Amino acid sequence: LSNHIISNLYDYVTGVEVGLGSNGRKNRGGHQMENLVESYLKKARVEYYKEMYLTEIEQKWNIDLSAISAEGTSTKRWDFVVKTPSSIYVIETNFYTSGGSKLNETARSYKMIAEEASQIPKFKFVWVTDGGGWTSARRNLEETFDVLETMYNITDMENGVFSSLFC
C-alpha cells in the first residue's frame, strides 16, 4: 500500500487485484447469453421454464427420456424448457469469446444429444450458441449443424426464430 502498487484497497481485499476474481467472471458470457435467450422467449410469448432437470421433465409431462439420460443413469439440467401443445423443447445456450478444447467437446456432446433426442417423439433439442470462439472450432460446429435442425445464433433470435419455431 505504501508503495502504491495496489491501486484499490477494495479490489485487493476482494481478490481482484491479485487475480482471484477471474473465477467470478468465468461464466459471465454464458449468463449474459442465458439472459438474452430468455428475453427472446418472453418476446415470443411462450410457456417456458428455466433450469429444469431431465427427471423433472419426465415427471411433469410423463415422457420417457431414457434415450438421452443413459437409461436414467445421468442427470442433465437444461437452461430452458418450452412446452407447446405439440412438443417439448429443451434449450441449451452458450457463448464463446475464445476458442479451445471446451468448444469441440461441447459440439460433440450436443451432436450426440441431437441424435438421441431425434428418437423421442414430440421432443426437440434446441441449441443457441454464438461468439468468435467458434471460428477455431467451426468444423465441429458444422458437424453438429448437419444433424441438429434447431441450432441457432443471436441473429436468428433477432429475426424471430422463436416465434416461428414454437407456433
Side-chain angles (χ1 to χ4, degrees), residues 21-97:
S22 61
N23 194 46
R25 294 185 299 275
K26 180 181 170 194
N27 196 26
R28 191 172 287 164
H31 292 301
Q32 289 173 335
M33 186 66 158
E34 284 179 22
N35 292 340
L36 183 64
V37 169
E38 186 171 20
S39 74
Y40 283 103
L41 288 171
K42 287 177 181 176
K43 285 180 187 175
R45 298 175 189 245
V46 294
E47 175 187 350
Y48 74 92
Y49 302 84
K50 196 170 181 179
E51 296 181 352
M52 199 169 190
Y53 282 92
L54 192 135
T55 53
E56 293 173 303
I57 297 167
E58 287 181 315
Q59 292 167 1
K60 186 169 183 69
W61 292 295
N62 195 28
I63 185 170
D64 179 13
L65 301 178
S66 58
I68 56 174
S69 69
E71 302 300 323
T73 59
S74 70
T75 59
K76 171 73 179 136
R77 189 191 77 196
W78 306 99
D79 293 332
F80 298 97
V81 178
V82 173
K83 176 66 173 92
T84 68
S86 61
S87 293
I88 298 168
Y89 296 84
V90 292
I91 304 170
E92 278 296 304
T93 67
N94 44 50
F95 187 91
Y96 295 104
T97 54

Side-chain angles (χ1 to χ4, degrees), residues 54 63-70 76 78 87-92 109-127 147-150:
L54 192 135
I63 185 170
D64 179 13
L65 301 178
S66 58
I68 56 174
S69 69
K76 171 73 179 136
W78 306 99
S87 293
I88 298 168
Y89 296 84
V90 292
I91 304 170
E92 278 296 304
S109 172
Y110 289 176
K111 178 182 177 187
M112 187 176 77
I113 291 171
E115 290 168 341
E116 293 166 346
S118 70
Q119 306 303 311
I120 303 169
K122 299 182 180 185
F123 183 83
K124 308 276 188 215
F125 172 53
V126 178
W127 183 19
V147 298
L148 181 57
E149 295 175 11
T150 50

Side-chain angles (χ1 to χ4, degrees), residues 44 46 84 89 152 156 159-167:
V46 294
T84 68
Y89 296 84
Y152 305 107
D156 294 325
N159 291 331
V161 72
F162 287 165
S163 294
S164 59
L165 179 65
F166 302 131
C167 290

